Amino acid sequence: MQSDDAIPDVVIKRLTIYARALYQLHASGAATVSSSELAAATGSTAAQIRRDFSYFGGFGTQGKGYEVGRLLEEVKRILNLNEQWGMVLIGAGSLGGAVARYNRFAENGFVICRIYDRNPERIGNRLDGVTIEDVATLRETVSREQILIAILTVPASAAQWAANLAISAGVKAFLNYAPASILAPPDVRVHDIDPVAALQSLTYYLSPGRSDEVEPSSRTTA
Amino acid sequence: MQSDDAIPDVVIKRLTIYARALYQLHASGAATVSSSELAAATGSTAAQIRRDFSYFGGFGTQGKGYEVGRLLEEVKRILNLNEQWGMVLIGAGSLGGAVARYNRFAENGFVICRIYDRNPERIGNRLDGVTIEDVATLRETVSREQILIAILTVPASAAQWAANLAISAGVKAFLNYAPASILAPPDVRVHDIDPVAALQSLTYYLSPGRSDEVEPSSRTTA
DNA sequence: ACGTGTGAAGTCTTTCACAGCG
DNA sequence: CGCTGTGAAAGACTTCACACGT
């Protein structure tokens, strides 16, 4: 009741986008950036950016803008990006394999420490340098190592089961690649990555009837 | 068209989640579903679901609920899922390879027709049965074949360039795997998939220093 | 009885617009 | 001056709660 200054989720999401742009600005040697410049780089608006940073007190200088290095550090601090995060990958099929080999995780401080599967043919194999273990051993190991993040790359039919197991081991955050809704208690956060769902929401905005042998009479112009 | 005012984007996004649940319900033989049952299956609320469908006129029967097959068909119609959508993949590196081999696209009516790269060493190779072509030929082919959807799997530094090229060829929707913000005109829609950004917004909610740091004061809801 | 569809209310988010500071 | 930070207004979305059809 005392500090109901909860930051909206959507602000946190935008912070990650600002961080991405600030990394680039920093690398390119820019010293300062204004809210309108950052807006142009991220597809946001200047007012939005100023409001977003004002939730954390504001990091700018009037008349000048924001100091790029300082702002990036502040964002990293807010998002807890100054430490390495250990993660567990559940599901070592083709999707799990592709995710395990995605270099940007480790480059950004997210390290896959453990990989689990339930298929005996996969257990014992290595994937990107990590041995695939029996998912039956997940709870004991993950809770002992206090891993808080799990990546779900299991079939949809196993997703809730795997999530429940991870939650019972203390996992508090999921990156869910399974095409299924995960039900979890409020202190556990789930971020879904479903490329097919993403495409399906894009096609809503496209008029039907293109490609194959459609006459060139119907076009979009939306 | 049918609508007098625009449907919120967030409603369209939820429609894809409802579709996922309805597919499963339909496959499991369920004849009807109530808004509260669908809410339980998708992590939404009953009122939300009724409101969402009411944007399209409402598909239910009072006292009974929704007929699963009918509702699924309505959602598919709204989202334009009754046709095959051709897509172009730009960037045939390791990420592009993984995306090209992701089976769920074709299973859901999204077919990668063309694959482009700018690297001569890759051009001519095949990826999941499709020959990698020189990106210099993209504009001519994509505009002729009226492909409206592009998947971007290029490095961040090439993302805007590739997007501009695709837009000039008539592409109206992007699934953007590059960790960069794409700037596009308002009639072009971009959906970003950035797993690192997703993790970064998850770690905001995790207290840093997981092996110690048990602050008895600050608790999230349990 | 039961569960939908929807005005109305409530809550959350964005945008405006400008005071104030470097 | 230019640009931030922020009250206030506007707008968007969610939830409530109940009339109504089956």
Short mmCIF file of all heavy atoms in Angstrom, two decimals, chain A residues 47-69:
data_model
loop_
_atom_site.label_atom_id
_atom_site.label_comp_id
_atom_site.label_asym_id
_atom_site.label_seq_id
_atom_site.Cartn_x
_atom_site.Cartn_y
_atom_site.Cartn_z
N ALA A 47 7.95 12.77 -26.14
CA ALA A 47 7.22 12.88 -24.87
C ALA A 47 7.19 11.52 -24.15
O ALA A 47 7.34 11.45 -22.93
CB ALA A 47 5.78 13.36 -25.13
N GLN A 48 7.03 10.48 -24.93
CA GLN A 48 7.01 9.13 -24.37
C GLN A 48 8.32 8.82 -23.66
O GLN A 48 8.36 8.30 -22.55
CB GLN A 48 6.81 8.13 -25.51
CG GLN A 48 6.75 6.70 -25.04
CD GLN A 48 5.37 6.29 -24.69
OE1 GLN A 48 4.60 5.87 -25.53
NE2 GLN A 48 5.01 6.41 -23.42
N ILE A 49 9.39 9.16 -24.30
CA ILE A 49 10.71 8.87 -23.75
C ILE A 49 10.97 9.68 -22.48
O ILE A 49 11.46 9.14 -21.47
CB ILE A 49 11.78 9.13 -24.83
CG1 ILE A 49 11.76 7.95 -25.81
CG2 ILE A 49 13.15 9.33 -24.22
CD1 ILE A 49 12.58 8.15 -27.04
N ARG A 50 10.62 10.94 -22.50
CA ARG A 50 10.82 11.75 -21.29
C ARG A 50 9.97 11.22 -20.14
O ARG A 50 10.41 11.13 -19.00
CB ARG A 50 10.49 13.21 -21.58
CG ARG A 50 11.45 13.86 -22.56
CD ARG A 50 11.44 15.38 -22.46
NE ARG A 50 10.13 15.96 -22.71
CZ ARG A 50 9.63 16.24 -23.90
NH1 ARG A 50 10.34 15.96 -25.00
NH2 ARG A 50 8.44 16.78 -24.03
N ARG A 51 8.73 10.86 -20.47
CA ARG A 51 7.85 10.31 -19.43
C ARG A 51 8.41 8.99 -18.89
O ARG A 51 8.43 8.77 -17.68
CB ARG A 51 6.45 10.09 -20.01
CG ARG A 51 5.48 9.37 -19.10
CD ARG A 51 5.04 10.19 -17.90
NE ARG A 51 4.23 11.33 -18.31
CZ ARG A 51 3.96 12.37 -17.51
NH1 ARG A 51 4.43 12.42 -16.28
NH2 ARG A 51 3.22 13.36 -17.94
N ASP A 52 8.88 8.14 -19.78
CA ASP A 52 9.42 6.86 -19.34
C ASP A 52 10.58 7.05 -18.37
O ASP A 52 10.63 6.42 -17.30
CB ASP A 52 9.87 6.02 -20.55
CG ASP A 52 8.69 5.43 -21.34
OD1 ASP A 52 7.55 5.48 -20.83
OD2 ASP A 52 8.92 4.94 -22.46
N PHE A 53 11.51 7.92 -18.70
CA PHE A 53 12.66 8.12 -17.81
C PHE A 53 12.25 8.85 -16.53
O PHE A 53 12.89 8.68 -15.49
CB PHE A 53 13.79 8.86 -18.53
CG PHE A 53 14.46 8.03 -19.59
CD1 PHE A 53 14.74 8.55 -20.83
CD2 PHE A 53 14.79 6.69 -19.34
CE1 PHE A 53 15.35 7.77 -21.81
CE2 PHE A 53 15.39 5.91 -20.31
CZ PHE A 53 15.67 6.45 -21.55
N SER A 54 11.18 9.64 -16.61
CA SER A 54 10.76 10.37 -15.42
C SER A 54 10.24 9.42 -14.33
O SER A 54 10.25 9.77 -13.16
CB SER A 54 9.69 11.40 -15.78
OG SER A 54 8.41 10.80 -15.83
N TYR A 55 9.83 8.21 -14.72
CA TYR A 55 9.42 7.23 -13.70
C TYR A 55 10.57 6.91 -12.76
O TYR A 55 10.36 6.47 -11.63
CB TYR A 55 8.96 5.92 -14.37
CG TYR A 55 7.56 5.95 -14.92
CD1 TYR A 55 7.34 6.02 -16.29
CD2 TYR A 55 6.46 5.90 -14.07
CE1 TYR A 55 6.05 6.03 -16.81
CE2 TYR A 55 5.17 5.92 -14.58
CZ TYR A 55 4.97 5.98 -15.94
OH TYR A 55 3.70 6.00 -16.44
N PHE A 56 11.77 7.08 -13.24
CA PHE A 56 12.95 6.73 -12.45
C PHE A 56 13.68 7.98 -11.96
O PHE A 56 14.79 7.89 -11.46
CB PHE A 56 13.88 5.83 -13.27
CG PHE A 56 13.17 4.64 -13.84
CD1 PHE A 56 12.66 4.66 -15.13
CD2 PHE A 56 12.96 3.51 -13.06
CE1 PHE A 56 11.97 3.58 -15.64
CE2 PHE A 56 12.27 2.43 -13.56
CZ PHE A 56 11.77 2.46 -14.85
N GLY A 57 13.05 9.14 -12.13
CA GLY A 57 13.63 10.37 -11.61
C GLY A 57 14.14 11.32 -12.68
O GLY A 57 14.29 12.51 -12.44
N GLY A 58 14.38 10.79 -13.87
CA GLY A 58 14.88 11.66 -14.93
C GLY A 58 16.39 11.72 -14.92
O GLY A 58 17.01 11.92 -13.87
N PHE A 59 16.99 11.54 -16.05
CA PHE A 59 18.44 11.45 -16.14
C PHE A 59 19.04 12.51 -17.06
O PHE A 59 20.21 12.44 -17.40
CB PHE A 59 18.85 10.06 -16.65
CG PHE A 59 18.23 8.94 -15.87
CD1 PHE A 59 17.42 8.00 -16.50
CD2 PHE A 59 18.45 8.81 -14.50
CE1 PHE A 59 16.85 6.96 -15.79
CE2 PHE A 59 17.88 7.78 -13.78
CZ PHE A 59 17.08 6.85 -14.42
N GLY A 60 18.24 13.48 -17.47
CA GLY A 60 18.70 14.43 -18.48
C GLY A 60 19.14 15.76 -17.93
O GLY A 60 19.06 16.03 -16.73
N THR A 61 19.63 16.60 -18.82
CA THR A 61 20.01 17.96 -18.48
C THR A 61 19.20 18.90 -19.39
O THR A 61 19.20 18.73 -20.61
CB THR A 61 21.51 18.18 -18.75
OG1 THR A 61 22.24 17.15 -18.11
CG2 THR A 61 21.95 19.53 -18.22
N GLN A 62 18.52 19.85 -18.75
CA GLN A 62 17.68 20.74 -19.54
C GLN A 62 18.51 21.55 -20.53
O GLN A 62 19.58 22.03 -20.20
CB GLN A 62 16.90 21.67 -18.61
CG GLN A 62 15.77 20.93 -17.93
CD GLN A 62 15.26 21.65 -16.70
OE1 GLN A 62 16.01 22.38 -16.05
NE2 GLN A 62 14.00 21.44 -16.37
N GLY A 63 18.00 21.67 -21.71
CA GLY A 63 18.70 22.40 -22.75
C GLY A 63 19.74 21.59 -23.48
O GLY A 63 20.21 21.97 -24.55
N LYS A 64 20.10 20.41 -22.90
CA LYS A 64 21.19 19.66 -23.49
C LYS A 64 20.77 18.26 -23.95
O LYS A 64 21.13 17.81 -25.02
CB LYS A 64 22.33 19.55 -22.48
CG LYS A 64 23.65 19.12 -23.11
CD LYS A 64 24.76 19.03 -22.05
CE LYS A 64 26.02 18.41 -22.66
NZ LYS A 64 26.78 17.64 -21.68
N GLY A 65 20.01 17.57 -23.13
CA GLY A 65 19.60 16.21 -23.47
C GLY A 65 20.13 15.21 -22.46
O GLY A 65 20.27 15.54 -21.28
N TYR A 66 20.40 14.02 -22.91
CA TYR A 66 20.88 12.95 -22.04
C TYR A 66 22.31 12.59 -22.43
O TYR A 66 22.65 12.55 -23.60
CB TYR A 66 19.99 11.70 -22.18
CG TYR A 66 18.54 11.95 -21.84
CD1 TYR A 66 17.64 12.39 -22.80
CD2 TYR A 66 18.07 11.76 -20.54
CE1 TYR A 66 16.32 12.63 -22.50
CE2 TYR A 66 16.74 11.99 -20.23
CZ TYR A 66 15.87 12.43 -21.20
OH TYR A 66 14.55 12.67 -20.89
N GLU A 67 23.11 12.29 -21.44
CA GLU A 67 24.47 11.81 -21.70
C GLU A 67 24.37 10.31 -21.98
O GLU A 67 23.85 9.55 -21.15
CB GLU A 67 25.36 12.11 -20.48
CG GLU A 67 26.85 12.10 -20.78
CD GLU A 67 27.47 10.72 -20.59
OE1 GLU A 67 27.49 10.24 -19.45
OE2 GLU A 67 27.92 10.13 -21.59
N VAL A 68 24.84 9.91 -23.14
CA VAL A 68 24.59 8.55 -23.62
C VAL A 68 25.12 7.48 -22.67
O VAL A 68 24.39 6.56 -22.29
CB VAL A 68 25.19 8.35 -25.04
CG1 VAL A 68 25.10 6.90 -25.47
CG2 VAL A 68 24.48 9.25 -26.04
N GLY A 69 26.38 7.62 -22.26
CA GLY A 69 26.97 6.60 -21.38
C GLY A 69 26.24 6.51 -20.06
O GLY A 69 25.93 5.41 -19.58
#
